[in-house]
Amino acid sequence: MSKQIESTPRQDGFRMPGEHEPQSAVWMIWPERCDNWRYGAKPAQSTFVEVANAISQTTPVTMVVSVGQFENARSMLPEHIRLVEMSSDDSWMRDVGPSYVVNGDGERRGVDWQFNAWGGLLDGLYFPWDKDDAVAKKVCEINQDSSYRAPIVLEGGSIHVDGEGTLYTTEECLLHPSRNPDMDREQIEQVLCEYLSVDKVVWIPSGLYNDETNGHVDNLIHVVQPGEVVLTWCEDPSDPQYQISRSALDALETQTDAKGRRIKVHKIPMPGPLYITDEEATGVDISDGMERVAGERLAGSYANYLVSNDQIIYPLLDTKYDSEMEAILNDLYPGYRVTGINAREILLGGGNIHCITQQVPSI
């Protein structure tokens, strides 16, 4: 029986598991927003189908879809992908879905963060966002999991955890005035520790260059295992990402994790730089908040992959580096299935494979 709980996960003995731990499902949301996805989201829908199919090789997938798109999604998705009719404002399940926590007794609960479309009225990407803000609680209801309504604005893509007490985030995002302007770093840390049962927050100064989410950490790094991360690396001194990556490396290598370990950092190549083409820009409706114009630099990153039950689903973004990234992932995740998806269409919408998915841990 699902209900909203008034205590906190830490008080109740729940913690957020790492992405490398066993999962019972992955949830996604079907894209259709015409001022974000080009040509009525048809190219993006095909890519979402590919991602869902890839994940379903190792993990059951549930796709949230609006009433207007239900029949279309059902015709495009194979029968083993479950569809759930639900309203949303766009399709970023990582950011609007629940962050799940578990305890040692086989129980699972969701953390329902407040969502304001990456910045609210200050610099959010769209308005309104109330349907998105309701998604996490609905997912918990459907899963019959109880939930906690957290007291801060936060998106799931702005945090990574290792499952052993360490959380990674960026100052650029969590300390941005468009999220929780009345709270300082210590107060935000306290909420993170209380609602995810983490003991150490590792702060990285900035996220990827030109990331419209105000620098989500999942577009810059990924946690391989406790004490070990990959970091998007740029070798071109004239590129703005060059110094961002070096500042991130310095932050990671000069801190220890919750268990006192030095953090091992693996550098991964940065694709591109990649830009929206004239042809890609023509198919998108005009938007107040999202820059979908020709020449706009895309925040492309190989770090934006999903780990799910001994499988890596990663974005193919640049033929110069795709195979190198595959080799790196095979080396870092021995015994895992490594699946590449041509993810340009997701990137054009402002994120990637990690951003459009949210895992539900096994219990």
Side-chain angles (χ1 to χ4, degrees):
M1 187 70 182
S2 63
K3 59 181 178 180
Q4 190 165 309
I5 298 170
E6 299 305 322
S7 56
T8 70
R10 168 153 266 169
Q11 289 170 8
D12 297 339
F14 284 76
R15 66 169 183 99
M16 185 175 176
E19 207 169 296
H20 57 278
E21 296 184 53
Q23 300 171 16
S24 67
V26 168
W27 283 62
M28 300 172 63
I29 304 175
W30 189 252
E32 61 175 283
R33 193 181 177 105
C34 295
D35 61 354
N36 188 29
W37 308 101
R38 65 189 185 125
Y39 302 124
K42 294 308 169 200
Q45 288 170 2
S46 296
T47 305
F48 275 55
V49 169
E50 284 188 59
V51 172
N53 276 333
I55 296 167
S56 70
Q57 295 176 103
T58 52
T59 311
V61 175
T62 294
M63 185 74 73
V64 164
V65 60
S66 72
V67 62
Q69 278 288 313
F70 195 91
E71 291 304 323
N72 177 46
R74 184 69 285 168
S75 70
M76 291 179 68
L77 288 159
E79 287 182 7
H80 67 271
I81 306 291
R82 180 174 73 152
L83 261 60
V84 170
E85 186 184 301
M86 187 189 298
S87 303
S88 67
D89 295 299
D90 204 356
S91 44
W92 305 105
M93 184 56 97
R94 175 70 48 184
D95 290 345
V96 304
S99 297
Y100 266 100
V101 291
V102 296
N103 68 9
D105 298 325
E107 294 177 276
R108 180 179 66 206
R109 293 174 181 172
V111 177
D112 172 11
W113 308 103
Q114 297 172 32
F115 180 76
N116 72 352
W118 309 275
L121 298 178
L122 187 62
D123 72 341
L125 299 186
Y126 49 72
F127 177 86
W129 54 75
D130 55 309
K131 294 185 186 75
D132 274 349
D133 190 37
V135 166
K137 192 167 191 301
K138 290 177 180 178
V139 170
C140 291
E141 293 258 352
I142 290 164
N143 286 336
Q144 295 189 301
D145 296 321
S146 295
S147 63
Y148 302 89
R149 178 65 165 172
I152 60 171
V153 172
L154 184 138
E155 307 94 40
S158 69
I159 55 171
H160 261 311
V161 300
D162 69 354
E164 292 188 2
T166 308
L167 181 144
Y168 298 85
T169 192
T170 66
E171 296 174 353
E172 179 188 357
C173 185
L174 258 60
L175 303 184
H176 198 277
S178 67
R179 298 306 197 280
N180 302 287
D182 299 329
M183 299 176 75
D184 59 24
R185 179 200 299 249
E186 288 71 27
Q187 291 169 315
I188 290 169
E189 270 196 28
Q190 190 176 356
V191 173
L192 294 171
C193 291
E194 201 62 40
Y195 279 81
L196 299 173
S197 286
V198 294
D199 303 309
K200 173 77 178 279
V201 177
V202 175
W203 292 91
I204 299 169
S206 302
L208 205 72
Y209 174 68
N210 209 35
D211 186 338
E212 64 189 6
T213 65
N214 306 117
H216 272 188
V217 78
D218 74 345
N219 216 22
L220 181 73
I221 73 162
H222 206 299
V223 177
V224 178
Q225 60 182 343
E228 196 171 341
V229 304
V230 296
L231 167 66
T232 301
W233 194 250
C234 174
E235 297 284 8
D236 178 3
S238 67
D239 193 301
Q241 187 57 40
Y242 182 87
Q243 190 53 53
I244 293 171
S245 291
R246 276 150 186 79
S247 298
L249 181 66
D250 183 60
L252 290 162
E253 290 189 337
T254 56
Q255 298 182 69
T256 55
D257 70 6
K259 300 292 187 190
R261 289 174 289 229
R262 296 287 300 274
I263 300 164
K264 186 175 182 180
V265 181
H266 303 276
K267 297 170 184 171
I268 61 173
M270 182 184 78
L274 306 172
Y275 300 90
I276 299 177
T277 66
D278 289 339
E279 191 270 334
E280 287 166 342
T282 56
V284 189
D285 289 357
I286 195 71
S287 162
D288 288 335
M290 296 175 282
E291 294 292 336
R292 302 290 180 260
V293 295
E296 181 74 13
R297 178 158 167 175
L298 295 160
S301 169
Y302 288 115
N304 207 303
Y305 61 85
L306 175 72
V307 183
S308 186
N309 290 336
D310 297 336
Q311 184 184 192
I312 310 293
I313 303 94
Y314 82 104
L316 302 174
L317 295 168
D318 187 338
T319 51
K320 283 186 297 188
Y321 301 111
D322 287 345
S323 56
E324 180 186 345
M325 190 61 205
E326 181 182 18
I328 291 169
L329 291 169
N330 276 311
D331 186 50
L332 290 177
Y333 294 92
Y336 278 61
R337 180 189 305 207
V338 176
T339 307
I341 303 286
N342 189 329
R344 173 93 181 179
E345 292 298 334
I346 311 174
L347 178 58
L348 288 170
N352 226 294
I353 290 171
H354 196 257
C355 305
I356 66 169
T357 55
Q358 181 61 271
Q359 72 274 4
V360 179
S362 298
I363 50 174

